[in-house]
Amino acid sequence: MQAVVLAGGLATRMRPHTLTVPKSMLPVAGRPFVDWQLERLVAAGLRDVVMCVAHLGEQIRAHVGDGAALGARVVWSEEGPTLLGTAGALRAALPLLHETFLVTYGDSYLPFDYGEPLRTLQAHHDCDGVMTVYKNDGKWDASNVVTDGTWVLRYDKGSRDPALDHIDYGATALRRDVIAALPGGEPRGLDQLQHDLAKRKRLRACVAHDRFFEIGSPEGLAELELHLKTHTETRLPS
């Protein structure tokens, strides 16, 4: 199983730190964030990883290399000087993509089985993607999904409609053909693609039960640091 990590963003909310250090390399609980993320993916069986990088991406590449130190097999996709957006970065990585793959964000730490949405996609041919969703009720961020537990019935990022009670968890399984159909070299957001798939009833849902963590804000980083320290301490031998 393959994972694609979108780690090319400018991370403006984390400035001034991210003016010189990419978000994936920010220290969290004593280690660069990317180490924690890759370990979670490997633990779920996703050892083949495509890292899509742009802003200060050479620092991530120098640290991770081929991923062997973390149990992964990492290959790299360079977005280039013009940022292409999240879906555009996937289109640029097309030659590296498996027939099905899981895409996640370079600032997301998700305490669930990363392999579940990918297995769901592989088992059902009536969809082109499987979005992991969480019943957020606006608590951790703005909710953007309506689901019946099987399908994403509606996905509207940025909407304030109270009917949207779930949120995109940050891990979506996709078919390579969906990305191949996009025009190359054009900026495009993954949210636009997800919206279109949901509208055409081609996006299944995978429901996560534990809250997500992210390092896209100082508050989010502090919450993850506390979670990781507590999580590690509970596993230390007495």
Side-chain angles (χ1 to χ4, degrees):
M1 297 192 291
Q2 183 187 57
V4 180
V5 178
L6 299 173
L10 296 175
T12 54
R13 288 188 296 164
M14 292 300 288
R15 290 178 177 174
H17 306 290
T18 49
L19 291 173
T20 55
V21 177
K23 191 159 44 175
S24 290
M25 290 298 295
L26 290 175
V28 185
R31 307 171 67 195
F33 173 73
V34 68
D35 289 7
W36 294 107
Q37 186 179 49
L38 289 177
E39 282 187 352
R40 288 284 307 129
L41 290 169
V42 168
L46 285 81
R47 298 182 181 275
D48 291 313
V49 179
V50 179
M51 294 289 298
C52 295
V53 295
H55 175 66
L56 302 175
E58 66 280 359
Q59 293 185 34
I60 312 172
R61 189 166 189 163
H63 174 73
V64 173
D66 63 4
L70 296 164
R73 295 179 290 265
V74 176
V75 294
W76 298 85
S77 176
E78 301 280 351
E79 196 168 340
T82 301
L83 295 183
L84 298 173
T86 44
L90 286 176
R91 181 62 177 79
L94 186 66
L96 302 173
L97 301 182
H98 290 188
E99 184 179 342
T100 59
F101 62 92
L102 181 94
V103 59
T104 190
Y105 301 101
D107 60 1
S108 294
Y109 183 90
L110 309 177
F112 89 122
D113 179 2
Y114 278 90
E116 185 178 354
L118 195 48
R119 290 191 297 269
T120 301
L121 178 64
Q122 292 167 347
H124 295 90
H125 297 286
D126 57 357
C127 62
D128 295 311
V130 177
M131 176 191 283
T132 309
V133 299
Y134 173 70
K135 196 170 190 304
N136 179 60
D137 289 318
K139 183 175 183 180
W140 303 112
D141 205 340
S143 298
N144 49 33
V145 170
V146 176
T147 180
D148 61 3
T150 301
W151 293 94
V152 174
L153 303 175
R154 182 179 160 201
Y155 174 67
D156 282 318
K157 185 176 179 179
S159 172
R160 295 185 179 274
D161 187 343
L164 301 162
D165 60 348
H166 284 66
I167 193 170
D168 175 7
Y169 195 63
T172 297
L174 292 170
R175 300 192 192 281
R176 183 183 186 274
D177 290 348
V178 172
I179 302 304
L182 299 175
E186 294 184 10
R188 182 180 296 265
L190 184 57
D191 59 309
Q192 183 179 347
L193 176 60
Q194 292 165 320
H195 172 85
D196 293 344
L197 290 177
K199 191 172 182 179
R200 294 191 288 112
K201 202 178 180 182
R202 298 293 297 176
L203 189 61
R204 279 183 171 264
C206 170
V207 180
H209 302 288
D210 294 307
R211 65 153 295 189
F212 58 91
F213 293 89
E214 49 78 27
I215 62 163
S217 66
E219 297 79 14
L221 191 151
E223 289 175 350
L224 176 59
E225 179 138 8
L226 178 61
H227 169 78
L228 289 173
K229 286 180 175 178
T230 304
H231 180 80
T232 302
E233 287 167 5
T234 60
R235 282 160 174 71
L236 290 176
S238 55

